[in-house]
Amino acid sequence: MMKKIIANGLVLACLLSLAAGAALFLSVRVQSQLLPNHAAGNPQPPDLARANESRSPLLAGDFASALRALPAQIASHPGDARFPYSLATVYLRLMRYAQGIPYALEAARDDPLDVRYRWMLRVLTILAGKPLDSIPLQYRLVVPSPAPSPVHFVNVTQKAGVANFGLGRGVAWGDFDNDGRDDLLVCAERAPFRLFRNLGGGKFKEVAEQLGLQDPVGLGCYGAYFVDYDNDGFEDIFLTSNGWGGDNRLFLFHNDHGRRFEDVTAKAGLAGKINAFGAAWADYDGDGYPDVAVAAGIAHPEGDRLRLYHNQRDGTFSEVGLEAGLAKKARWMSACWIDDDGDGRPDLFAVSFDSGCALYHNLGHGRFQDVTQKAGLRCPISNYTCDVLDYNNDGRPDIFVSTYPVAHLELMIAHQISGAPAPPNDRQLLFRNNGDGTFSRATEEAGIMGLHGAMASQVADIDNDGYPDIVLGTGNPALDWAEPKALYRNDGRGHFADIAQSAGLMDFGMLHGTAFSDYDKSGNLSFYGSFGGFYWGSREEARLFRNSGCSNHALEVKLVGTKSNRDAIGAHLTAAAGDQKYHAWVDGGSGFGSLNSRVVHLGLGSHRQVDLLEVDWPSGLHQRFARIPADERIEIVEGASKFHLLTKF
């Protein structure tokens, strides 16, 4: 994603001219604002990506011309590291890593003091599967050893049949055909919608067009959500589209019993232009039907207000944001619902690119009050995504906010090499819920200290120890920007350590939408990452990473609301095992326009049984179930006296 501080960032745009019959490609620093000035009286902001692509062949993905022109330029400009570096970058983007290594090495030889060239050499060597000691010693970079990981992730994208090459955006897991297996919804910008049906056995089949899930205008989508908005027992689909491209639209597809999807956007009252980004669902007024908040205004210099669409319970929605009190204008990026005070009413938390964050307390009767300052929530720098998690398992939901402070490639590399903490104002944000209506910044005590260009985030218990972990989607629009992913493992004592490298996530692509699911019923949470950059030249392959698991146990719970919304969004589960208690909530959307599986995953550590499982439903109903064996998935229907076993792991 693009941002204002990239004004000084290296983008590797190429200036194309004809001289002596040869095309000249030069690596330059592009001075660009997030939003170029647009003509007065024209309310539609320009699509910045396409505007810049029109001026740069490489940003537009014209790698064929670069492959033809650059070798000659390298030969005619010996010692000029920019040319082999540009060609190495082209091979990085083409995923032909081994072919790029000689050119990255040549750039490093030409200018050994420029750390970018040695970093590119290191990245290409890793991605090509070659040992780091194959790099000549004088050009070898040494980075700090990673923290050990109890689990390992394996890229099974091709084997599973879920490849998607594009400008990746949001991701959602949900069982649209009610066969008991999570299916996968994948967004990308300027690309068709993708819906992968889970066939079992680790295999998927793409069925979007076959089932009528189509984009009539070719926008693609940013935010992806499964939601049973009409409580008919089948997961419908809600999408936002191309937030950075200006005013676009929303999509709502009704699920006809898993057989077909119908575009009911206009019929539902959701038509019309909106500059939308992320969204989140919850039943904020307790009427048993889910409503949706939409972050808006990212492409408008003056910003916009959050939208709140109230479910009218007849298949239509009414936008009530202003009358609800959501009047603040900002360039909103993401939203998530959190019952931070435990009063049973979901409150709304949102983050913006330019104006910090906001917490709106749900007063009931359809009204909200801005309590951000009172709550002690301060988000000083560019914010991208938010997640709700109980990182210390005290029964009070906490907040994580991903931030994007990194302006220079050299700065990112320097921190990767040194392992030095980021400056305090450049860190990711973890807020601990104090239980009295206030939050305390816990970033430092939690050890989340790295300097990351985080444009996305997601939370999940990857090692089944009962404590949620945090994955960061990092990157930058620059074509030569290759930043490692971060996976912060929660040790259960309030401290996190980055285990990405030792967990097998040696990936340097630009990661946006990220969502977790036990899609193969293994008892472990795997995740799908929707990779892809801002420009057409930075398209990437999305990846499915299967979790190999460890020796810990888990219980998975599918909740079915009756009086509450059928998806049970907002339900709170408390599992007591031995002397431990573990907490989880049913989510309505978080991270970068993404949705984890609504099958609640409760890691139990070494415990082989849940002694007591308590469910607090959005309707106010409280249920208790005793002595549930671990390593199985169960279903609980609201009000039923017994649970139903779905599968054993």
Side-chain angles (χ1 to χ4, degrees):
M1 302 312 308
M2 196 65 171
K3 59 195 301 349
K4 186 160 42 181
I5 62 172
I6 292 173
N8 295 317
L10 179 64
V11 178
L12 266 184
C14 286
L15 301 179
L16 177 61
S17 64
L18 294 178
L24 175 63
F25 283 83
L26 291 175
S27 174
V28 300
R29 294 184 181 272
V30 172
Q31 307 295 322
S32 64
Q33 296 294 320
L34 172 68
L35 291 168
N37 294 328
H38 52 281
N42 178 12
Q44 171 65 34
D47 187 317
L48 181 60
R50 298 195 195 204
N52 284 344
E53 288 166 11
S54 69
R55 296 188 290 268
S56 167
L58 276 192
L59 295 184
D62 183 8
F63 297 131
S65 295
L67 290 176
R68 289 194 298 269
L70 280 170
Q73 301 304 323
I74 293 170
S76 61
H77 294 79
D80 190 335
R82 295 175 300 168
F83 291 99
Y85 181 59
S86 294
L87 189 50
T89 298
V90 170
Y91 281 118
L92 171 70
R93 288 299 167 186
L94 289 171
M95 296 184 291
R96 292 157 59 178
Y97 309 121
Q99 289 176 268
I101 291 174
Y103 298 102
L105 180 58
E106 183 174 348
R109 286 171 176 156
D110 289 341
D111 189 353
L113 297 181
D114 194 322
V115 72
R116 295 172 302 157
Y117 305 151
R118 286 178 287 154
W119 181 258
M120 177 66 74
L121 177 58
R122 182 177 189 273
V123 168
L124 289 170
T125 300
I126 291 171
L127 293 176
K130 298 182 180 297
L132 288 174
D133 60 11
S134 64
I135 300 173
L137 185 60
Q138 64 268 39
Y139 307 124
R140 206 177 299 168
L141 293 174
V142 178
V143 302
S145 298
S149 172
V151 300
H152 192 78
F153 288 93
V154 178
N155 186 340
V156 296
T157 309
Q158 299 300 326
K159 180 179 178 181
V162 290
N164 190 51
F165 184 71
L167 301 175
R169 299 298 181 254
V171 179
W173 291 96
D175 182 7
F176 80 86
D177 53 2
N178 287 347
D179 64 357
R181 297 186 291 263
D182 271 346
D183 309 299
L184 179 61
L185 176 64
V186 181
C187 277
E189 187 180 340
R190 295 184 257 167
F193 306 148
R194 299 296 187 194
L195 178 60
F196 294 96
R197 170 179 270 149
N198 190 337
L199 305 177
K203 301 291 186 180
F204 292 78
K205 180 182 179 182
E206 209 288 308
V207 296
E209 184 175 358
Q210 172 188 335
L211 298 185
L213 190 68
Q214 294 179 288
D215 177 3
V217 289
L219 294 172
C221 53
Y222 259 51
Y225 308 89
F226 285 106
V227 59
D228 186 359
Y229 74 91
D230 56 357
N231 288 340
D232 68 352
F234 288 88
E235 294 293 329
D236 310 298
I237 287 176
F238 177 77
L239 306 166
T240 66
S241 62
N242 197 3
W244 286 100
D247 291 333
N248 289 306
R249 58 165 291 182
L250 306 173
F251 295 91
L252 181 64
F253 290 90
H254 181 259
N255 184 346
D256 180 14
H257 297 83
R259 299 186 298 254
R260 188 84 181 164
F261 285 92
E262 177 190 1
D263 187 343
V264 296
T265 311
K267 188 188 302 184
L270 295 172
K273 289 186 176 181
I274 180 174
N275 177 216
F277 205 96
W281 289 80
D283 180 9
Y284 75 86
D285 60 348
D287 65 358
Y289 284 75
D291 315 292
V292 63
V294 178
I298 184 59
H300 292 274
E302 69 279 6
D304 202 347
R305 62 179 178 83
L306 294 164
R307 300 295 197 274
L308 180 60
Y309 295 94
H310 178 253
N311 192 328
Q312 301 290 90
R313 299 182 292 175
D314 60 0
T316 68
F317 292 80
S318 176
E319 205 286 302
V320 297
L322 273 180
E323 63 187 77
L326 309 180
K328 179 181 177 179
K329 282 192 173 184
R331 291 162 64 191
W332 299 107
M333 299 282 287
S334 303
C336 47
W337 293 93
I338 172 174
D339 183 8
D340 70 280
D341 56 358
D343 65 358
R345 295 190 296 263
D347 310 298
L348 181 62
F349 181 78
V351 298
S352 75
F353 180 79
D354 63 339
S355 301
C357 52
L359 177 62
Y360 289 98
H361 177 62
N362 189 339
L363 301 172
H365 310 292
R367 294 288 300 174
F368 291 80
Q369 179 184 13
D370 188 342
V371 296
T372 314
Q373 186 173 356
K374 178 182 176 182
L377 291 165
R378 183 173 176 269
C379 308
I381 55 177
S382 303
N383 309 291
Y384 267 74
T385 58
C386 58
D387 303 275
V388 175
L389 72 167
D390 186 0
Y391 80 93
N392 55 1
N393 266 323
D394 63 359
R396 299 189 293 262
D398 311 300
I399 296 172
F400 181 80
V401 176
S402 71
T403 67
Y404 198 97
V406 186
H408 303 291
L409 178 60
E410 295 91 338
L411 180 62
M412 180 274 289
I413 296 171
H415 275 266
Q416 290 292 329
I417 295 171
S418 68
N425 286 335
D426 290 346
R427 293 171 187 165
Q428 308 301 299
L429 300 172
L430 178 65
F431 296 104
R432 183 181 60 251
N433 189 334
N434 297 321
D436 59 0
T438 68
F439 289 79
S440 295
R441 173 166 164 155
T443 304
E444 286 72 27
E445 66 187 65
I448 304 176
M449 305 285 278
L451 184 73
H452 307 287
M455 298 180 173
S457 57
Q458 195 53 265
V459 299
D461 181 5
I462 63 165
D463 57 355
N464 290 344
D465 67 351
Y467 291 87
D469 311 294
I470 303 169
V471 64
L472 297 181
T474 59
N476 184 284
L479 296 186
D480 62 336
W481 195 288
E483 183 177 356
K485 305 312 105 191
L487 176 57
Y488 279 98
R489 177 179 177 259
N490 186 341
D491 68 0
R493 297 184 295 275
H495 194 271
F496 292 77
D498 186 0
I499 64 168
Q501 182 176 337
S502 54
L505 297 181
M506 287 300 293
D507 203 296
F508 297 88
M510 190 173 181
L511 176 57
H512 288 121
T514 306
F516 285 82
S517 167
D518 181 9
Y519 74 92
D520 56 355
K521 301 181 183 180
S522 65
N524 305 298
L525 288 175
S526 302
F527 79 94
Y528 192 85
S530 191
F531 286 81
F534 186 67
Y535 297 111
W536 199 241
S538 56
R539 287 171 292 165
E540 293 187 49
E541 195 78 76
R543 282 84 129 172
L544 175 61
F545 293 98
R546 185 179 184 275
N547 187 341
S548 63
C550 59
S551 60
N552 287 335
H553 303 279
L555 175 69
E556 295 180 348
V557 185
K558 178 184 178 183
L559 296 179
V560 180
T562 53
K563 186 177 180 182
S564 302
N565 68 89
R566 190 172 179 88
D567 284 331
I569 300 170
H572 177 199
L573 291 84
T574 304
D579 58 355
Q580 295 287 327
K581 281 191 174 182
Y582 305 103
H583 297 269
W585 287 261
V586 181
D587 186 27
S590 59
F592 189 105
S594 295
L595 179 69
N596 286 338
S597 171
R598 288 207 183 94
V599 176
V600 178
H601 186 92
L602 293 162
L604 301 174
S606 61
H607 300 287
R608 297 179 178 273
Q609 173 181 281
V610 170
D611 301 319
L612 180 65
L613 178 66
E614 299 179 82
V615 183
D616 289 290
W617 296 85
S619 67
L621 178 66
H622 179 81
Q623 290 185 272
R624 297 158 61 94
F625 302 89
R627 295 183 296 279
I628 306 174
D631 302 322
E632 60 185 33
R633 181 182 296 179
I634 64 173
E635 179 181 82
I636 298 176
V637 177
E638 184 177 14
S641 59
K642 296 182 179 181
F643 62 83
H644 175 60
L645 175 64
L646 296 178
T647 188
K648 289 182 177 290
F649 306 141

